[in-house]
Amino acid sequence: MPGVRQVVDYALQRRAALADVAAGRVATADACDAGTYLLQAASYHGRPTTRTCPLCQREPLVEVMWIFGERLGAAAGSARSADEINRLADAISEFTVHVVEVCRSCRWNHLVQSYVLGTDDASGGGRRRRRTASP
C-alpha cells in the first residue's frame, strides 16, 4: 500500500445499514438511492468487483473513486479512474479518495473506504515516489 495513508474503512457502517434494511427499519427504496450522476460515474469510471449486490443479488457491484482536495482545482469532487488518480498522486501534494460501491440494477450505494494520496510535499508539486490508487 505505498503512498496510501489515513485509511478509513466503512465496513461496520455498511453492515449496520444492511442490517437495518433486513430488519425493516429502513426501506429498501431508501437504501437504494444512487443518483443519476453516481450511476453515470459507475458506468464511465467504475471498476467492476467480484462482490454481488447485497440487496438485489442481480449483478456485481462497481466501485467508483471520487477525489477531493484544495489543490485539485476543478477536478475536486469528481469521479476518476485509477490511472488518473495515480497521475494526480504523482503531481498533487495531498488529496482524498472516497471509494463508493454502486449497484447499477437496484441503485444500492455505500461509501466503502477513504484514504489520502499525494506527494506529501507541502509546496504542491514535484515527484517524490510512485503511488497507487488502490490500497
Side-chain angles (χ1 to χ4, degrees):
M1 219 195 294
V4 176
R5 53 196 187 276
Q6 298 177 15
V7 177
V8 178
D9 187 311
Y10 295 92
L12 291 176
Q13 288 180 347
R14 179 185 187 271
R15 197 173 318 164
L18 291 170
D20 285 344
V21 172
R25 291 185 293 269
V26 173
T28 303
D30 291 336
C32 297
D33 62 351
T36 304
Y37 190 57
L38 179 56
L39 294 173
Q40 285 178 333
S43 294
Y44 292 105
H45 298 290
R47 61 181 180 194
T49 71
T50 57
R51 300 184 316 271
T52 304
C53 176
L55 292 181
C56 74
Q57 304 290 321
R58 281 188 233 151
E59 70 176 67
L61 295 168
V62 175
E63 288 185 342
V64 181
M65 293 183 288
W66 297 86
I67 57 173
F68 299 92
E70 293 177 15
R71 297 191 182 268
L72 291 169
S78 64
R80 299 295 170 149
S81 70
D83 289 339
E84 290 175 298
I85 290 173
N86 284 333
R87 285 192 295 274
L88 288 169
D90 283 340
I92 305 293
S93 63
E94 183 174 284
F95 62 97
T96 304
V97 178
H98 291 208
V99 182
V100 178
E101 68 180 12
V102 181
C103 176
R104 292 179 286 186
S105 289
C106 73
R107 300 173 66 157
W108 159 260
N109 65 100
H110 200 277
L111 177 62
V112 176
Q113 185 180 63
S114 67
Y115 53 91
V116 174
L117 284 177
T119 62
D120 204 17
D121 174 15
S123 67
R127 283 178 75 107
R128 215 173 127 215
R129 63 180 185 244
R130 181 80 178 129
R131 307 202 185 262
T132 60
S134 52

